[in-house]
Amino acid sequence: MIVLKNLTCKYQNSIIFKDISLTIKKHLTILGANGSGKSTLAKALCSLVPYEGDILLENKNTKNLSLNEKAKSISYIPAKLEVYDADIVVSEFILLGRFAYKKSFFDYDNDDKKIAQEMLEFLHISHLSEHIVSELSSGEQQLVLIAQALAQQSAIIIFDEPTANLDPYNAKVIAGHIKRLQDKHTVILITHDLHLAAFINTPVLFVKNKSATYYENDFFNDARLQELYNVAFTSLAVQYA
């Protein structure tokens, strides 16, 4: 469970959003227009950007958690993979998800390597194990990002625009994996893809005008979508089923 208390984020003294209070009992989809603060909210949950207010993970204030404790609790998957080692291969990149468990100055142990291999197999990408990450396709890179997050074994996984750069086939593959992960993890999804959001089918937090409105259910109807997005909608289809 995640509890937000008066969460506020600013950028160069400009308020992104203010005083968001919310209890996330399980899964959540965060929607909103470009620039509304969706990704900033996600990064605040992971302590990747400064914020005011409090974030509690299972009744523990994130301000009081060590970096390793945070990594074991929550993981963040960005929309696009950024690699700082041009020659790192997939197996090595996924092992980085085990960093919070690694003993200082020691190599990853056999358990870490076993977990990384299991994530490759779970996502059906074992054949990419020794490929250079930067040379993979966008869809393959997204799967590698998910594998690294799964190796981290955090209870909460945040997906930030996971299908933004993908073709329809790979978007459907990623959507299926996200749906499956709901069985064992709390999944928070940030997306512009309303088809994906409807398919994942969780409560929705809509970020607009520096605040956020929570919808437990009945979000995906044409009238509400037209009101929130200021554009006409006709019968949103779920294309990932």
Side-chain angles (χ1 to χ4, degrees):
M1 184 171 68
I2 309 170
V3 178
L4 312 182
K5 295 183 177 180
N6 302 116
L7 189 66
T8 297
C9 276
K10 301 176 182 178
Y11 178 72
Q12 295 182 346
N13 295 321
S14 177
I15 295 175
I16 307 300
F17 53 78
K18 184 177 181 181
D19 292 335
I20 294 179
S21 294
L22 176 69
T23 297
I24 305 171
K25 296 180 180 179
K26 192 60 176 173
H27 309 300
L28 183 71
T29 298
I30 302 176
L31 300 175
N34 289 331
S36 60
K38 301 184 301 299
S39 291
T40 300
L41 175 55
K43 291 176 181 178
L45 293 175
C46 302
S47 301
L48 296 176
V49 296
Y51 62 86
E52 299 172 9
D54 294 296
I55 301 172
L56 280 65
L57 302 180
E58 301 299 336
N59 297 317
K60 296 179 181 179
N61 196 312
T62 56
K63 293 176 181 177
N64 300 326
L65 298 178
S66 68
L67 291 177
N68 279 357
E69 287 174 323
K70 291 176 185 177
K72 292 176 182 179
S73 299
I74 189 166
S75 56
Y76 172 76
I77 301 177
K80 185 177 180 181
L81 183 145
E82 294 183 5
V83 179
Y84 300 100
D85 180 350
D87 297 320
I88 192 169
V89 299
V90 168
S91 58
E92 295 170 341
F93 183 81
I94 293 173
L95 267 176
L96 294 176
R98 301 297 302 164
F99 189 82
Y101 302 87
K102 188 165 78 80
K103 297 178 181 178
S104 298
F105 307 111
F106 288 91
D107 194 8
Y108 295 99
D109 62 23
N110 289 333
D111 286 341
D112 294 324
K113 294 174 182 178
K114 180 182 177 182
I115 290 169
Q117 181 60 35
E118 287 173 350
M119 297 308 103
L120 283 166
E121 293 171 0
F122 175 73
L123 295 172
H124 308 297
I125 53 173
S126 297
H127 61 287
L128 299 176
S129 179
E130 299 308 312
H131 288 228
I132 296 174
V133 173
S134 60
E135 296 178 357
L136 300 178
S137 70
S138 296
E140 291 169 336
Q141 288 184 351
Q142 196 64 35
L143 287 169
V144 169
L145 280 170
I146 295 173
Q148 187 191 79
L150 292 178
Q152 197 170 317
Q153 292 187 318
S154 52
I156 304 162
I157 301 178
I158 298 178
F159 290 86
D160 194 349
E161 295 288 356
T163 59
N165 304 302
L166 304 185
D167 61 62
Y169 174 80
N170 281 295
K172 183 175 181 178
V173 170
I174 297 300
H177 285 307
I178 294 173
K179 193 76 170 178
R180 280 202 295 165
L181 291 175
Q182 289 180 317
D183 293 336
K184 294 185 178 181
H185 300 266
T186 292
V187 171
I188 297 177
L189 170 68
I190 295 93
T191 185
H192 283 297
D193 186 341
L194 294 179
H195 295 294
L196 174 61
F199 173 69
I200 297 303
N201 190 28
T202 73
V204 169
L205 186 71
F206 195 87
V207 184
K208 185 177 183 180
N209 296 331
K210 302 179 182 179
S211 63
T213 303
Y214 179 78
Y215 299 88
E216 180 71 33
N217 48 47
D218 194 31
F219 177 84
F220 294 100
N221 65 74
D222 296 342
R224 173 165 288 128
L225 292 172
Q226 181 168 335
E227 175 188 357
L228 293 173
Y229 285 100
N230 196 31
V231 64
F233 282 83
T234 55
S235 301
L236 181 69
V238 183
Q239 65 183 18
Y240 294 111

